[in-house]
Amino acid sequence: MKKSICLYFQVHQPTRLRLYRFFDIGKDSHYYDDFANRTILKRIAQKCYLPMNELLLEAVTKGKGKFKLAFSISGSALEQFDRYAPEVIESFRKLAETGCVEFLCETYNHSLASLASRQEFAHQVQKHKAAVEQYFGVEPKTFRNTELIYSDGIGGMVRELGFQAMLTEGARHIMGWKSPNYLYNNEFNPDLKLLLRNYSLSDDIAFRFSDRGWAEWPLTAEKFVDWLKAAEGEIVNLFLDYETFGEHQGAECGIFEFMRALPGAVAREKDLEFVTPADAAAKHKSVGDLSVPQAISWADEERDTSAWLGNELQQDAFKKLYGLQEKLSLADDSALWKDYGHLQESDHLYYMCTKFFSDGEVHKRFNPYDTPYEAFINYMNVLSDFMIRVNNAIAEKQ
């Protein structure tokens, strides 16, 4: 049997908050930095989404069914594409029409709802599933939680929602001696198949590609295919942020040329083939249960949830946010529900992270705030105004 290469890209853009001061609370309820959201989205569309989609469409067409890949696109990103760059939506639609690109389901707002509320989690998953069907005309079969967050319990919820396969991280502290290059299953729900990210090979592209100090620089498609062939196991899962191409790794470093060459380099090997996550779940048999009692993710060295919930600032914001659910149900206001979704975006908590060691540089790169404390104060000011609106909406109904 040929070794499977499963290539998946995450597409997400947060709805960034404007500078929201204490004196705005109760007076101005527009929370978003529309200028930054538009400017950043349009820049990344030109540098990444549009050229990469064109490159991949060309590769899929040339591959005649042999080159396959997968995307998940958050609802927050879809909304911004609609608003600021509808041509990006159209370019993804062209990929969907090939039949060689799988679109995955996730939480609509790229949220941490799976760690807080079964009800809100299910709501966001169903909302995202509907959005994928609306935009791309396909029903998602595979699930990818925000930042690959997974545990036995989360897997159970995902199976209840009808999914048969899910992506997560091949975290070293969970795998032990096991290899991520096989299909596994949820320990308590054997029908849920698990595809585990090979973080070493994924990060060779996502983080090390342009590092001239890296012993393997420069990375060519032929060299990378040799590594894929040498990897033990039945499947190599390469899961990356789509913004790796052109944004995190600039075009000048040659990453587009690498990606243009990779499909052909794999196709020339008789023992390798590209598969989508759904293909992989159907093709391969699980080699056994995977026990994940505590949530894991693909973030940072720890591969846990500490990037979003590792300090008291984050935990306080998280508890206050999800503590509003009952009141929101009583208020039952569509504008409040929409803002509630955007306030759940995990990026807001990520900006409050106080890690400064191995992963400090990564957090700094994606953070619009000078300090985690500024991020916390700004977010809590917004949340304070939001809570006033929720209480006022309840009072009006009484």
Side-chain angles (χ1 to χ4, degrees):
M1 185 166 58
K2 291 184 177 183
K3 183 184 293 178
S4 298
I5 310 302
C6 185
L7 185 62
Y8 151 77
F9 297 121
Q10 168 187 300
V11 182
H12 169 63
Q13 284 300 313
T15 312
R16 296 164 189 84
L17 302 176
R18 71 177 179 88
L19 178 60
Y20 194 88
R21 302 181 188 279
F22 174 80
F23 300 104
D24 293 326
I25 298 171
K27 295 176 182 176
D28 185 348
S29 296
H30 182 72
Y31 306 137
Y32 312 112
D33 190 337
D34 298 325
F35 177 78
N37 289 325
R38 181 177 66 251
T39 303
I40 294 170
L41 192 283
K42 290 178 81 69
R43 183 192 78 212
I44 298 177
Q46 293 302 317
K47 293 175 70 175
C48 170
Y49 303 138
L50 292 172
M52 268 300 288
N53 283 1
E54 184 180 349
L55 182 157
L56 293 174
L57 182 62
E58 186 180 309
V60 168
T61 304
K62 192 175 178 181
K64 297 179 180 177
K66 291 186 176 180
F67 179 48
K68 299 180 178 182
L69 67 151
F71 287 98
S72 66
I73 309 175
S74 71
S76 301
L78 287 170
E79 288 181 6
Q80 291 191 54
F81 292 154
D82 248 348
R83 192 174 301 131
Y84 306 127
E87 65 275 19
V88 174
I89 294 280
E90 187 56 37
S91 67
F92 277 116
R93 282 201 184 109
K94 288 179 181 177
L95 285 167
E97 288 166 2
T98 66
C100 293
V101 179
E102 181 181 1
F103 286 84
L104 278 51
C105 195
E106 62 168 284
T107 57
Y108 186 87
N109 289 107
H110 200 76
S111 74
L112 302 181
S114 61
L115 301 174
S117 167
R118 178 182 290 262
Q119 180 182 3
E120 179 63 18
F121 178 66
H123 165 72
Q124 286 204 22
V125 172
Q126 298 293 359
K127 185 177 180 181
H128 189 263
K129 184 178 180 184
V132 172
E133 292 174 356
Q134 174 195 332
Y135 280 100
F136 307 116
V138 294
E139 181 185 353
K141 307 287 187 186
T142 306
F143 189 77
R144 181 218 74 112
N145 198 16
T146 305
E147 305 294 337
L148 298 190
I149 292 173
Y150 174 81
S151 69
D152 296 332
I154 292 170
M157 291 192 292
V158 169
R159 184 67 191 98
E160 283 178 15
L161 289 167
F163 298 97
Q164 297 182 336
M166 182 172 177
L167 278 53
T168 189
E169 175 73 4
R172 192 184 295 117
H173 68 280
I174 290 295
M175 300 307 296
W177 57 269
K178 297 177 183 176
S179 167
N181 300 338
Y182 294 92
L183 196 73
Y184 293 85
N185 60 263
N186 180 282
E187 184 174 23
F188 303 105
N189 295 269
D191 289 342
L192 182 72
K193 302 300 187 288
L194 301 174
L195 288 87
L196 307 178
R197 175 177 180 258
N198 184 311
Y199 62 81
S200 179
L201 288 171
S202 298
D203 288 352
D204 285 339
I205 302 172
F207 293 106
R208 290 181 280 275
F209 186 87
S210 60
D211 181 6
R212 289 171 177 258
W214 181 34
E216 299 295 344
W217 187 90
L219 179 60
T220 64
E222 290 73 24
K223 183 192 290 187
F224 194 71
V225 167
D226 285 341
W227 295 350
L228 295 176
K229 287 161 57 181
E232 68 153 321
E234 301 173 346
I235 179 169
V236 179
N237 296 307
L238 304 171
F239 303 163
L240 299 87
D241 280 322
Y242 200 32
E243 296 80 12
T244 294
F245 300 90
E247 177 67 9
H248 305 163
Q249 305 280 350
E252 68 281 355
C253 75
I255 198 158
F256 285 96
E257 287 72 18
F258 168 83
M259 198 61 227
R260 188 173 283 110
L262 185 63
V266 169
R268 287 191 289 274
E269 299 294 333
K270 66 180 188 302
D271 296 327
L272 299 179
E273 67 175 351
F274 282 106
V275 298
T276 65
D279 291 339
K283 174 184 174 181
H284 297 283
K285 290 185 177 179
S286 168
V287 297
D289 299 340
L290 191 69
S291 175
V292 187
Q294 301 296 324
I296 58 173
S297 77
W298 72 351
D300 296 353
E301 286 292 320
E302 296 88 350
R303 303 293 201 269
D304 58 14
T305 59
S306 60
W308 308 276
L309 296 171
N311 63 45
E312 291 181 3
L313 303 177
Q314 295 166 313
Q315 292 161 19
D316 185 36
F318 180 79
K319 287 174 184 173
K320 280 190 169 61
L321 178 68
Y322 283 101
L324 289 170
Q325 275 205 276
E326 188 175 336
K327 284 188 172 183
L328 275 159
S329 297
L330 291 172
D332 196 25
D333 180 285
S334 58
L336 289 173
W337 279 117
K338 187 174 179 65
D339 283 336
Y340 185 58
H342 289 308
L343 291 176
Q344 287 183 64
E345 291 170 16
S346 62
D347 311 75
H348 304 309
L349 294 170
Y350 188 82
Y351 301 148
M352 302 175 200
C353 188
T354 49
K355 293 182 181 181
F356 293 109
F357 298 100
S358 57
D359 301 299
E361 193 58 39
V362 174
H363 285 269
K364 191 175 178 182
R365 187 195 310 171
F366 302 121
N367 198 334
Y369 299 95
D370 291 333
T371 70
Y373 307 101
E374 285 182 22
F376 173 74
I377 291 166
N378 202 64
Y379 183 81
M380 295 307 283
N381 284 343
V382 169
L383 196 56
S384 296
D385 183 83
F386 182 73
M387 291 165 74
I388 291 171
R389 289 170 59 208
V390 172
N391 290 330
N392 288 344
I394 294 172
E396 287 172 10
K397 285 185 178 292
Q398 291 173 346

